[in-house]
Amino acid sequence: MPLRRARDVTVISIRDVHKIFRQGEAEVRALAGVSLDIASGDFVSIMGPSGSGKSTLLHLMGGLDAPSAGEIVIDGTPIARMSDDEITIFRRRKIGFVFQFFNLLPTYSAEENVALPLLLDRRRAREVRTRVDAALEQVGLAHRRRHRPDELSGGEMQRVAIARALVIDPVLILADEPTGNLDTRTGEQILALIRDANRARGCTVVLVTHDARAASYATRTITFKDGRVDGAAAPPA
């Protein structure tokens, strides 16, 4: 069983982070000096209009891209200073991802998709089976374990993606518009699963969304505008 982590310890520390993209000779400043802290066990939603920098920040927190300037520390590790190999291993062991388009391997079954990060990390077969069984059970898909993505509904595919994120017992779950391709009822079920994982496991969750309904599942909402933090508050009751 995963250990429940202590709360109120800073697990994400972001200091004066900038991100500049080049488009030909022009520069696009996606982030302009972002600083914030997120505590262990927190469930934070990040909202803002398209182009506000919220998804860029999520990708930087996940080590999928590097900042142009500034520092990002995840679970005590300054990830911007890591090599490509180091950040790959760090992501595999510490960070679970849930994307809008699921990012499942189409020729793999549900259980094979969930097992993939453990197999890449060369975990023992018995541990892989135990963890995969527990993760699929938690998201209610044990009975669909041998089905491929094209045999699953959108909601079921997202449940597989959540199980894949949970199977490593992550310090951090990063969710980028996880309900964007789902109907309202299914989306609410997915958000409830993420919230329940946050409460049961104590893992930190950062959810990027443009949807106020989705943001209401978080305990704190941070708004972005023009590459900067525009406000931070608890969602309305």
Side-chain angles (χ1 to χ4, degrees), residues 33 62 85-86 112 126 152 158 171 179 186 201 208-209 226-227 231:
D85 288 344
E86 289 171 336
E112 289 169 335
R126 180 178 295 180
L152 302 173
Q158 197 60 292
V171 169
T179 62
T186 303
R201 293 173 176 248
V208 162
T209 183
D226 299 330

Side-chain angles (χ1 to χ4, degrees), residues 40-196:
S40 177
D42 207 353
F43 185 168
V44 173
S45 63
I46 298 178
M47 295 190 69
S50 296
S52 62
K54 59 187 188 297
S55 289
T56 297
L57 181 66
L58 192 85
H59 292 165
L60 296 183
M61 284 191 283
L64 300 173
D65 201 354
S68 302
E71 184 168 68
I72 299 175
V73 178
I74 307 292
D75 198 32
T77 301
I79 63 172
R81 304 177 192 176
M82 300 174 83
S83 69
D84 288 345
D85 288 344
E86 289 171 336
I87 193 63
T88 296
I89 294 170
F90 183 84
R91 281 197 306 264
R92 190 185 299 152
R93 296 178 177 174
K94 298 277 190 174
I95 304 175
F97 293 91
V98 183
F99 296 104
Q100 178 177 350
F101 296 103
F102 319 128
N103 287 16
L104 302 178
L105 295 178
T107 60
Y108 279 30
S109 67
E111 65 181 351
E112 289 169 335
N113 269 285
V114 174
L116 188 58
L118 299 177
L119 295 173
L120 291 172
D121 206 32
R122 298 183 179 180
R123 303 292 184 95
R124 293 182 178 180
R126 180 178 295 180
E127 180 187 3
V128 172
R129 286 195 300 271
T130 299
R131 284 176 173 261
V132 169
D133 288 349
L136 286 171
E137 187 70 34
Q138 184 170 354
V139 302
L141 276 186
H143 64 296
R144 303 283 276 169
R145 61 188 309 127
R146 292 184 174 83
H147 292 257
R148 293 190 307 273
D150 63 358
E151 299 171 313
L152 302 173
S153 68
E156 288 172 331
M157 284 191 283
Q158 197 60 292
R159 286 172 183 265
V160 173
I162 293 171
R164 182 183 57 193
L166 293 174
V167 78
I168 64 170
D169 190 20
V171 169
L172 172 64
I173 292 178
L174 300 176
D176 193 357
E177 300 283 7
T179 62
N181 280 343
L182 305 175
D183 61 75
T184 299
R185 181 174 176 273
T186 303
E188 289 178 349
Q189 293 171 347
I190 293 301
L191 291 165
L193 267 178
I194 295 172
R195 180 193 60 201
D196 292 347

